[in-house]
Amino acid sequence: LMPTAASNEAVVRLAERVKSALRSSLPEAEVMGFATSSALRSRAFGVAVPEVEVVVKCSPGLVAARFDGRGGSRPDMHRIYKVVLRAFTDRLMTTGCFKFRRSAFAAGEPKVTLLASDSAVSADAVPLDLYMNATAPLRNAALIAECGRLDARASALILLVRRWARDRGICHASKGHLPPYCWTLLAIYYLQVGAEGEQVLPAFEAF
């Protein structure tokens, strides 16, 4: 269940590949990749709910100045991030290493799902979700890492619950399901209060 060293290395290479492709569009951007399981193993619903998330980070003011054609003193960043993701998707597809699968722009944090088929990253195609200045992937990675530091059983259970929800097709936010991040929070809550009298994890204030 846990990301392997090879998987983590592939995600790092994938983030570098994305950053290289987007350098001409937004050279100031930082690109981070996160994997919640082995990114190199093909499973059911792998494209439907990718286990790799790539976040492009850049100052909102700079992004608005670069991509907002409307101007104004109070730019609509949600709209601008959708414009940015469309531009990034077009740019990545021109490299021949990424294929568009779908977009989810109605969500609180817009994203685009792509299929990376760069042999320099992995021998197999890797599904990924691409975000602009999103916080959920960072919070999710930080929570899982901290839970694992407190108790190795905790991170293992969290990943098992996420896999269970994904393989049963009940974590598709577009269908009204709880998204994977919410399944992470539910698993943590159970470990805080419901593990048969044993408090495996403390309250969030103690993290």
Side-chain angles (χ1 to χ4, degrees), residues 115-134:
L115 195 62
S117 55
D118 189 342
S119 59
V121 172
S122 168
D124 301 313
V126 178
L128 66 98
D129 283 333
L130 178 68
Y131 297 85
M132 181 71 213
N133 280 347

Side-chain angles (χ1 to χ4, degrees), residues 26-199:
L26 195 62
E28 303 85 354
E30 176 186 0
V31 180
M32 299 175 293
F34 305 93
T36 53
S37 186
S38 176
L40 307 183
R41 295 177 60 187
S42 177
R43 304 183 188 91
F45 301 107
V47 177
V49 186
E51 293 183 334
V52 174
E53 296 173 308
V54 174
V55 180
V56 181
K57 287 189 63 180
C58 191
S59 162
L62 181 59
V63 173
R66 193 75 52 82
F67 290 92
D68 186 18
R70 300 182 183 181
S73 59
R74 300 183 64 181
D76 180 354
M77 295 309 300
H78 189 273
R79 177 187 61 80
I80 293 172
Y81 289 157
K82 291 190 287 186
V83 172
V84 172
L85 287 173
R86 290 189 185 100
F88 284 176
T89 299
D90 290 343
R91 180 70 188 91
L92 289 169
M93 289 176 63
T94 63
T95 67
C97 299
F98 296 87
K99 297 180 181 179
F100 172 79
R101 283 296 174 259
R102 66 181 177 278
S103 59
F105 287 161
E109 294 185 323
K111 66 179 180 180
V112 174
T113 299
L114 302 168
L115 195 62
S117 55
D118 189 342
S119 59
V121 172
S122 168
D124 301 313
V126 178
L128 66 98
D129 283 333
L130 178 68
Y131 297 85
M132 181 71 213
N133 280 347
T135 59
L138 285 74
R139 293 197 304 267
N140 182 74
L143 278 174
I144 293 176
E146 181 64 12
C147 288
R149 186 189 67 80
L150 293 169
D151 193 315
R153 298 173 298 173
S155 56
L157 179 65
I158 292 168
L159 295 179
L160 177 62
V161 169
R162 287 171 60 100
R163 172 83 64 80
W164 174 86
R166 194 192 74 160
D167 288 353
R168 281 153 184 78
I170 56 173
C171 61
H172 301 264
S174 61
K175 297 182 179 179
H177 303 155
L178 293 176
Y181 181 60
C182 288
W183 286 102
T184 294
L185 297 179
L186 282 174
I188 292 174
Y189 178 74
Y190 169 75
L191 292 169
Q192 289 172 325
V193 302
E196 298 183 352
E198 179 186 4
Q199 187 183 33

Side-chain angles (χ1 to χ4, degrees), residues 150 192 199 201-207:
L150 293 169
Q192 289 172 325
Q199 187 183 33
L201 293 176
F204 280 125
E205 292 77 8
F207 273 47

